[in-house]
Amino acid sequence: MLNTLRSDLRAIQARDPAARNIIEIALTYSGWHALVFHRIAHALFLRNVPILPRLIAHLSRFLTGIEIHPGARIGQGLFIDHGMGVVIGETTEIGEDVTLYQGVTLGGTGHETGKRHPTIGNGVIIGAGAKVLGPITMGHDVRIGTNSVVLKSVPDGATVVGIPGEIIRGRRDTDVLDHVHLPDPLMERLEQISSELKEIKAQIQNSRLAPSLPVRDKSHLS
């Protein structure tokens, strides 16, 4: 467990430009504190110790604002940035070197039994406020945009944004999440609809302005 916690500390130092040294992280980073509590609670959970793992998780949530069920399986190098409001469900599985921003939920949809929370691959980055729900799989190196809601599995290396989440690009050459330049599929669709409505309106106006053809007198045929 100590080796895992050291790996968690090094991951935070490597990925957070505000982290000055290991001591500062150990004393002031709520994300790391939540991981310490979870590593202990999870070890007790695996040994079928009653009640105590949940009490430790409850204390952790009270002190850090981060809720991690003792049953969640978390690999080395998880970085919970800021962390307030993060929720990680019981059957969640998280790989190595994953980054979660504040407000992320790795939860269920309320309809499953057994495995009901997501599986997160290695190197995944999940933006602030994003929700990944259900027994789905996020492949390795996936990027999930801020406030996205992901309900389907995502292949390795993809970037997902929107509600519901849509894959907007495949593999990338970068290992960071570009929060600024992510496209918005909903806004793009609204702009497309607006453009189509303008075109239809213009066609209607043109048809009204077009000169009427004279009606031929057919009375002589009667």
Side-chain angles (χ1 to χ4, degrees), residues 30-64:
S30 61
W32 189 76
H33 298 159
L35 278 177
V36 173
F37 281 113
H38 174 71
R39 302 293 186 197
I40 297 170
H42 184 65
L44 296 173
F45 180 88
L46 292 179
R47 289 166 175 78
N48 296 315
V49 176
I51 302 176
L52 186 56
R54 294 301 301 269
L55 287 175
I56 294 172
H58 183 71
L59 176 62
S60 175
R61 181 180 63 176
F62 176 77
L63 294 175
T64 68

Side-chain angles (χ1 to χ4, degrees), residues 16 54 89 136 172 201:
D16 187 358
R54 294 301 301 269
I136 57 178
R172 308 157 317 283
K201 183 178 180 180

Side-chain angles (χ1 to χ4, degrees), residues 76-169:
Q76 294 185 2
L78 175 64
F79 175 29
I80 303 176
D81 194 4
H82 300 293
M84 182 63 70
V86 166
V87 177
I88 301 176
E90 178 182 10
T91 60
T92 301
E93 298 175 47
I94 299 177
E96 297 183 354
D97 300 319
V98 171
T99 300
L100 307 179
Y101 289 91
Q102 65 271 21
V104 166
T105 298
L106 305 179
T109 60
H111 301 295
E112 302 90 359
T113 57
K115 172 63 172 171
R116 59 191 186 279
H117 300 100
T119 297
I120 310 297
N122 299 333
V124 173
I125 299 177
I126 304 180
K131 318 299 179 190
V132 184
L133 306 177
I136 57 178
T137 299
M138 301 295 103
H140 301 313
D141 301 313
V142 165
R143 304 292 180 262
I144 300 175
T146 298
N147 291 324
S148 298
V149 177
V150 185
L151 303 173
K152 297 180 180 180
S153 295
V154 177
D156 293 353
T159 297
V160 180
V161 299
I163 304 174
E166 296 183 16
I167 296 174
I168 57 170
R169 63 180 73 132

